[in-house]
Amino acid sequence: LFESLAINLHLARKAGAPLSPEGDDASRALQWTLWAATEAEPAAMQWAYNTYIRPPEERDAGQAAAGAAALAGRLQVVEGQLANRPHLL
């Protein structure tokens, strides 16, 4: 395996519970894993590239701000899920 998300899921499955739950929680774990990769990570990386990864002369402050704002919105989704419970699963 070469893709980090696939490696993480593979290791969790090998380890078993609680890293890899069964039943409906297995589906929820997969849902939140994919959500993080497709929704939160792109915004986080937009912010990171334009804040500290790229050399200073290649950074775009507007892109950094847009990434931070998008990430804040994505994290509100998680906060909403955690409003009435201590864990996502």
Side-chain angles (χ1 to χ4, degrees):
L1 294 173
F2 61 85
E3 210 300 309
S4 62
L5 182 54
I7 292 167
N8 287 341
L9 293 171
H10 174 77
L11 292 173
R13 188 171 50 244
K14 287 184 83 106
L19 293 179
S20 183
E22 295 183 14
D24 288 347
D25 274 347
S27 297
R28 287 185 194 94
L30 185 57
Q31 167 191 287
W32 283 109
T33 300
L34 294 170
W35 179 87
T38 62
E39 296 294 324
E41 184 177 7
M45 293 311 296
Q46 180 181 4
W47 170 79
Y49 276 116
N50 290 289
T51 303
Y52 64 91
I53 294 176
R54 289 185 178 134
E57 64 276 5
E58 294 178 18
R59 297 175 190 167
D60 181 325
Q63 289 293 313
L71 181 58
R74 301 319 190 272
L75 294 176
Q76 285 300 312
V77 172
V78 176
E79 292 292 339
Q81 291 294 309
L82 294 173
N84 297 315
R85 57 182 148 176
H87 308 286
L88 290 174
L89 307 179

